[in-house]
Amino acid sequence: MRKLKINGHGHLLPEPNEIPKFMKDKKLFWIDEDKKFMRQDDWSRPITDPSFFFNEKLEWMERYDIDHGVMLNLSQIYCNGWDRQDTHDAIRWQNDFNASVQQKRPDKFTCGFVVQPLYMEDALREIERCVEVLKMSLLCLPTHYLNKEGEWLSIADESVFPIFELANKYGLAIEIHPYDGEKMVKLKDVYWRFHLVWMMAQTADTLHLFTLKDILNKFPNVRTCFAHGCMLGQANYGRRLQGFDGRPDLFEGTTNPREALGHPNLYFDSLVHDAYTFQLIKTRAGSSQIIAGLDDPYPLGEMEGVARSYPGRVIDFAVEANIISQQESDEIWYDNVLRWLGKSSI
């Protein structure tokens, strides 16, 4: 009997007519009628696969024997630097759209919702609405957000603790995902450097603060997954320990990073693109803390037609290289994802 598979990191776009008029009028986010590009202000990105959309996503999942998909929010709707009203309206629309996907096919989709920490009152109300009214249980957070002084802060900053407190009350799963690197780092946007390098640095930075501030134990009912395997965070572990041990004066009142290693409430998805980086996550955290994540249908996800890529490639490579067993692979595809989500089954 075939083992069930859950993709713990996927994305869906709304149809062009599902996006409210004000979003395009204010250039906040829209999709061309021919569904060739998504757009935001003067930014645009090609829509590279039909499975960005609901019906085509279901067909794609069936083709690759993916039984259920966790759909994260759109990174473009983190709303960093937006005014309060636009943030409120755009986030509410985004969360309503994701809820509608989950409501249409709860057997196939678990969808996340997003909030913006700058407007804390609104964020806490939106969490309550999404959990109690929309019946959603996965909170998506950016690695960093822009505060009212125009400073970039990690989502692990104490200013965000009210969000973690409410998430802890509801026992939510959390996904931490990078974006807006080009707004944080003064480098020219060439050779996709912000997606290939700086997004990985963003997750590593937030993992650094996340563990030092002992968020895992302060909020024990929350289960957190870092996107893209937190690749640089895995490689940077030894340097963080060296710094913690070598300059204790800089780390007063913080928690030893060693205590987070293999913590049962800390997860990483499998989207690291090669089996040896995957092996590092297993060594650091244990296979029980890895969840299958494809980042479909973006070209940096495990998508057919991109070189040797296909959905589940890295997990398959890890089995072939004897890094994990077939049983561990099955658990990464199903049991571990369920445990992160707080579900007993799909």
Side-chain angles (χ1 to χ4, degrees):
M1 182 177 173
R2 183 176 71 82
K3 300 291 186 180
L4 295 178
K5 289 184 175 182
I6 307 173
N7 167 25
H9 181 163
H11 297 274
L12 267 175
L13 288 174
E15 296 288 335
N17 62 6
E18 292 180 301
I19 301 174
K21 184 174 182 294
F22 79 86
M23 295 285 289
K24 183 174 182 180
D25 289 349
K26 294 186 174 185
K27 297 186 175 182
L28 300 177
F29 182 80
W30 73 99
I31 293 171
D32 290 350
E33 290 300 320
D34 61 7
K35 300 201 287 193
K36 298 293 186 185
F37 283 87
M38 60 183 92
R39 301 184 185 275
Q40 186 174 50
D41 199 14
D42 59 356
W43 170 91
S44 66
R45 181 170 187 162
I47 296 172
T48 49
D49 195 88
S51 64
F52 266 110
F53 299 97
F54 184 86
N55 291 327
E56 293 84 350
K57 175 72 77 180
L58 288 170
E59 294 168 5
W60 183 85
M61 290 167 64
E62 184 174 2
R63 189 157 66 246
Y64 290 101
D65 293 327
I66 297 168
D67 301 283
H68 195 86
V70 178
M71 299 295 110
L72 308 182
N73 68 283
L74 300 176
S75 301
Q76 292 80 12
I77 314 296
Y78 287 159
C79 304
N80 284 316
W82 296 19
D83 69 35
R84 184 174 182 178
Q85 190 62 53
D86 286 349
T87 298
H88 173 276
D89 294 343
I91 279 181
R92 191 179 179 97
W93 161 72
Q94 161 77 139
N95 293 340
D96 284 345
F97 168 72
N98 271 13
S100 74
V101 170
Q102 182 172 288
Q103 289 160 5
K104 275 192 282 191
R105 290 298 303 268
D107 59 321
K108 289 296 181 183
F109 296 114
T110 296
C111 295
F113 64 94
V114 67
V115 297
Q116 168 52 247
L118 171 60
Y119 306 113
M120 184 58 69
E121 228 178 90
D122 294 348
L124 297 178
R125 278 200 299 266
E126 183 66 1
I127 291 172
E128 291 174 348
R129 185 183 80 92
C130 287
V131 174
E132 296 182 8
V133 178
L134 301 181
K135 307 304 179 186
M136 303 172 87
S137 57
L138 169 60
L139 172 60
C140 298
L141 293 173
T143 55
H144 298 79
Y145 80 100
L146 200 60
N147 72 5
K148 63 182 179 182
E149 282 79 34
E151 301 169 319
W152 285 99
L153 298 179
S154 167
I155 204 71
D157 190 78
E158 286 90 345
S159 61
V160 187
F161 278 12
I163 287 174
F164 285 104
E165 287 168 2
L166 191 54
N168 191 67
K169 172 188 169 183
Y170 286 126
L172 299 182
I174 288 180
E175 172 80 12
I176 293 180
H177 192 289
Y179 198 65
D180 284 334
E182 70 278 8
K183 298 176 184 176
M184 299 171 62
V185 181
K186 291 186 180 299
L187 291 170
K188 289 183 179 178
D189 190 2
V190 295
Y191 304 122
W192 224 7
R193 72 198 313 172
F194 290 105
H195 277 72
L196 301 185
V197 178
W198 289 102
M199 287 178 84
M200 304 302 98
Q202 287 173 278
T203 52
D205 178 74
T206 287
L207 180 67
H208 181 50
L209 273 67
F210 193 88
T211 59
L212 289 169
K213 294 176 186 294
D214 201 27
I215 288 175
L216 290 163
N217 295 312
K218 280 188 171 77
F219 309 105
N221 297 325
V222 171
R223 301 161 309 283
T224 301
C225 180
F226 278 75
H228 311 135
C230 196
M231 298 168 68
L232 296 189
Q234 310 297 341
N236 199 37
Y237 175 72
R239 186 170 179 84
R240 292 173 57 224
L241 295 187
Q242 181 85 10
F244 185 86
D245 294 340
R247 286 293 307 272
D249 57 305
L250 299 178
F251 295 92
E252 290 181 10
T254 63
T255 298
N256 193 317
R258 294 172 177 87
E259 295 188 20
L261 207 61
H263 195 288
N265 283 347
L266 180 59
Y267 294 83
F268 304 96
D269 73 30
S270 62
L271 190 78
V272 294
H273 306 285
D274 75 284
Y276 297 107
T277 304
F278 183 98
Q279 183 178 37
L280 184 57
I281 304 178
K282 180 185 176 182
T283 301
R284 296 276 193 243
S287 67
S288 64
Q289 302 312 116
I290 303 173
I291 69 168
L294 305 179
D295 201 12
D296 55 290
Y298 288 101
L300 273 175
E302 290 189 347
M303 294 298 295
E304 68 279 16
V306 180
R308 299 171 62 199
S309 189
Y310 63 86
R313 180 187 74 161
V314 169
I315 297 172
D316 285 354
F317 280 8
V319 173
E320 292 169 17
N322 294 316
I323 292 167
I324 56 171
S325 66
Q326 185 57 54
Q327 180 179 337
E328 287 174 308
S329 170
D330 294 340
E331 291 167 352
I332 287 166
W333 271 112
Y334 186 72
D335 305 78
N336 300 354
V337 187
L338 284 180
R339 197 167 61 253
W340 166 55
L341 292 174
K343 293 176 178 282
S344 57
S345 63
I346 54 168

